Amino acid sequence: MEELTNIVGKHNVITSKERSRPFREGYRSGKGDALAVVRPGSLMELWHVLEVLHANNIIILMQAANTGLTEGSIPASGYDRDIVVVNGMRIKGLQLINHNRQVLAFPGTTLHHLEGELDKVNREPHSVIGSSDIGASVVGGVNNNSGGALIQRGPAYTELSLYAQIDENDELHLVNHLGIDLGDTPEEIITNLEERNFDIHNIPQGKEHVAGNRNYEERVRNVDSEKPTRYNADPNNLYEVSGAAGKLATFAVRLDTYPQASESQVFYIGVNNPDVLERLRRHILTEFKHLPVSGEYMHREAYDLAKKYGKDSLIVIDTIGTNALPYLFGMRATAERILDHVPTFKPYFPDRMLQTMSNFVPNQLPKRLEEYRDRYEHYLQLKMDGAGIQEARIFLDDFFKTEEGDYFECTPKEAKVAATHRYVTASVAIRLEEVFQDDHIQILPIDVALPRNEFKWFEHLPAELEDKIQYKLYYGHFLDHVMHQDYVLKPGVDAHEVKQEMLKIFDERGAIYPAEHNVGHLYEAAPALVEHYKKNDPTNSFNPGIGMTSMHKYWGNY
C-alpha cells in the first residue's frame, strides 16, 4: 500500500471496510471485498497505479460512478488473486475538439458535466436521459454500450480511445488509438494529452475509425428484421473500449457531439390497445422523413407506482434540477452507513423517511397527464424536433381519426414533468423493496431487446407465473423495442426461479437480454462478448468473472 500511497496520497488509498463500502456495493444489488480502493487524481497517477498493481499480480477492477445495475463494476467472490478497485471519478475534465464537433472525455467525466459544457456551445452528447441524472460517466457508458434512448444516435460507441492493456505476455502497455499524435512513451502521451500539446481544432477526422454509432438510423428503420435494434452483445458495437466492460483501463474516449435543435415538441399519446402503438411505431420509423428524438413508453401500473413511490425524487429534480443529484445520492449513502450501526434504525432509513414524508405532499403530476391516466392504459412520449414537429402533428391528427386513442402537445412544463416521471420509474422497485423490507419481497429487474418485427410486444404472462408477481412495471424506449420490465414478487417467491422462467419466455420470443445494462455478474456473457473480453484481456487481469466467466488468471477453468 505504501507504493500506492506515494502515488495518490494517503487519503485516496481506502482500506477501511466502512469507507470503501460505496465502492464495493452495487447501485441496485451485490457487494464484495477488495484489498483497497485507489482513487487517482490524474491520468499520470492512474498509469503509475496500474504499473504497481500489475507488478504485484493484483486484479484491477476499473470503476467509474458505480451506477450500473448488474453488479459489473463491483468486486465479486472466487478470485485467485487479491483485487483492488481503481475508481477514476477524480480524473475529471473534458476537452472539446474540432470546433466542438467532438469531445475527449476522461474517466471522471460525467454525462451530466458533458451535457452542461456542450449546452454552452449549442451542442449535445450521445445520451441525455436516465443515468446522466445520477452521475454516470461517459467512459462507463462506452464500456457498456449503454444509452440509446435517442433514436437518431444509438448507443454510446467509439473506435477512438486511449487505454491500458495487459497483453498475452503479461506486459502492460498504453495504447493510443485516439487518432492524435501525442508521442511514443506513456509519459509523453499522457503529458501531451493532459496539457493539450496538440492543435485541438485541427485533428484529422479519418475515414477508417468513427467516434459514434454506425448506420443506426438504417437499423432502427428496419422494422421487419427478426433481430433487435440494439443490445450490449451486438458484435457490431464491440471494439476495443466499446463494450469492454472494464477489461481494459480506459484513459480517454473521443466521441462525436451533435447540434442542438432550434425547437422541440413532446406529443403525449394515450391508447388502450398496445397494437395501436405498434402500428404507430411502424409508420413513424418507415414513413417519417425526420426520425423522432425519442419515444419513451410507460404502462399505467408503472405510472401509478412512480406517482406514489417516485414522488420525492420527482420533486427534487423538478425543484432544484439534476445538478445536485450526485451530491444528494452521496449524502444518502453516507447517512445509511452511519445509521446501520444504530440498532434503532432499520436499513435504508433515509429512503423510508423520504417515502413517509412524500405521502403528505400533494400530487405533482399535471392535470392532462392524470386525465390520460384515467382514460388510457399505455402512454408514449414522442419527442420531435425541427421540421419533424409538423410532420408528426399532421400524422397524429390523421392517425387518431381512425385509431383508438388520442394525443396532446405538451407544454414545456408538462414535457419536463412527464420525462422526469418516466425517469424516476427506474427506482420504484428498489423503493418498494426498502419500504416493505419486513415482507422480504424480492425484485427482478430485466431490460430486454425485442425483435424489431415483434408486433405483439406487450407482455402477457402465463397464469402460473402471473400469480407469483405482486407488481409489474413496464417502461422503456419503445421505438427501438428496448423495454425495462421490473417485477416486484410476492413475499416468499424466489427471484432466481422466476428469472429462469422469464428468460425462457424471452428466448422463445427471440428477444435478447440484458439490452443495455450489460451482463455484470448476473447474466452469462454471449460468445461474442466472451471473445471480446479475451481479446482485450488475454491474462484475465481486469474485472475477472464478468458475464459469469473465469475468475482465474489466463482464463483458467473456463
Side-chain angles (χ1 to χ4, degrees), residues 52-81:
V52 169
L53 297 178
H54 174 246
N56 287 276
N57 194 34
I58 292 174
I59 291 172
I60 300 163
L61 175 52
M62 297 301 301
Q63 184 186 79
N66 192 19
T67 58
L69 302 181
T70 55
E71 306 176 11
S73 55
I74 58 170
S77 59
Y79 302 115
D80 61 345
R81 297 148 284 165

Side-chain angles (χ1 to χ4, degrees), residues 291-340:
L291 275 182
V293 176
S294 61
E296 294 300 295
Y297 166 79
M298 284 185 76
H299 179 255
R300 177 185 282 162
E301 188 168 16
Y303 180 103
D304 289 345
L305 290 170
K307 175 180 173 181
K308 182 174 182 179
Y309 295 102
K311 186 192 297 184
D312 54 300
S313 297
L314 187 148
I315 292 171
V316 169
I317 295 171
D318 192 43
T319 304
I320 65 176
T322 58
N323 287 330
L325 279 187
Y327 175 71
L328 293 175
F329 275 103
M331 285 182 59
R332 183 184 67 181
T334 300
E336 286 179 355
R337 290 199 303 275
I338 294 172
L339 295 175
D340 272 357

